[in-house]
Amino acid sequence: MSRVTILGSILLSGICLSQIKNHQFEELENLQQTENRNIIIFIKTDWCNFCKAMENTTFKNQKVSGSINQNFYFIRFNAEEKRDIDFTGKIFRYKPTGINTGIHELAETLTEGKTTYPGLIILNPQNEIIFQYNGYLKSSELLNIFGKLENKKVSR
């Protein structure tokens, strides 16, 4: 095996380790039947710079991505997504609020009408909110939240 092949394999494995497996809301019921896990919903928009920063730093941290992949189901949710979403037996739709602007009903529901970006919601396997945060989180802050969740000391 050449050095280039070995180096390429090492680099690719590092990239794969830091990628978070993203799920869709519609998958959760089947996933929970396989293994009960808490669900992390990262609420973002395409124009939000803090959302992009969190995606490019916090979620690319190997400890964060490893913990998420091992212990949670993760959903990256664009709050301006226009498709209908079937979640918890209800259909949620995009609501236009002006010319080329709007918000998805599910984003509003999950944030209890206080939608800001980025937003992080953690649901238990019964789809109840157990943690909610609006704003940018560093890797260390998110790992601290995970630690508190394990010890069940997290509040909204």
Side-chain angles (χ1 to χ4, degrees):
M1 206 182 259
S2 72
R3 289 180 193 205
V4 173
T5 305
I6 293 171
L7 181 60
S9 296
I10 292 169
L11 289 173
L12 281 175
S13 65
I15 290 169
C16 292
L17 286 175
S18 65
Q19 287 184 351
I20 296 173
K21 179 155 178 47
N22 190 50
H23 297 281
Q24 299 296 317
F25 287 99
E26 293 83 358
E27 294 177 80
L28 290 176
E29 188 175 336
N30 287 335
L31 290 169
Q32 294 293 16
Q33 289 176 3
T34 305
E35 181 181 1
N36 275 335
R37 293 184 181 186
N38 289 339
I39 304 147
I40 296 175
I41 303 169
F42 177 61
I43 300 176
K44 64 178 231 58
T45 65
D46 292 336
W47 50 262
C48 169
N49 289 329
F50 286 108
C51 301
K52 291 175 188 172
M54 209 167 149
E55 286 180 307
N56 291 323
T57 57
T58 305
F59 292 128
K60 289 204 175 167
N61 175 287
Q62 283 193 338
K63 287 182 182 178
V64 170
S65 61
S67 181
I68 290 173
N69 286 334
Q70 185 174 358
N71 302 303
F72 300 90
Y73 297 121
F74 183 83
I75 297 176
R76 185 175 284 112
F77 178 44
N78 184 342
E80 298 176 328
E81 188 168 320
K82 291 183 173 63
R83 74 178 180 91
D84 290 354
I85 296 175
D86 183 354
F87 180 59
T88 65
K90 182 177 179 198
I91 303 294
F92 295 89
R93 293 183 167 81
Y94 175 78
K95 295 183 346 184
T97 57
I99 299 172
N100 295 322
T101 63
I103 187 166
H104 205 284
E105 288 176 329
L106 185 51
E108 283 187 321
T109 299
L110 289 168
T111 60
E112 299 169 335
K114 302 175 201 128
T115 312
T116 59
Y117 310 109
L120 189 85
I121 309 289
I122 301 178
L123 306 177
N124 65 16
Q126 293 75 40
N127 299 318
E128 300 164 332
I129 296 172
I130 58 172
F131 179 80
Q132 188 171 9
Y133 186 83
N134 295 322
Y136 179 89
L137 286 167
K138 295 186 282 189
S139 300
S140 59
E141 294 168 325
L142 190 52
L143 289 168
N144 185 37
I145 292 164
F146 294 164
K148 288 179 180 180
L149 270 175
E150 285 182 47
N151 297 324
K152 300 182 185 197
K153 296 178 187 171
V154 173
S155 61
R156 297 194 325 174

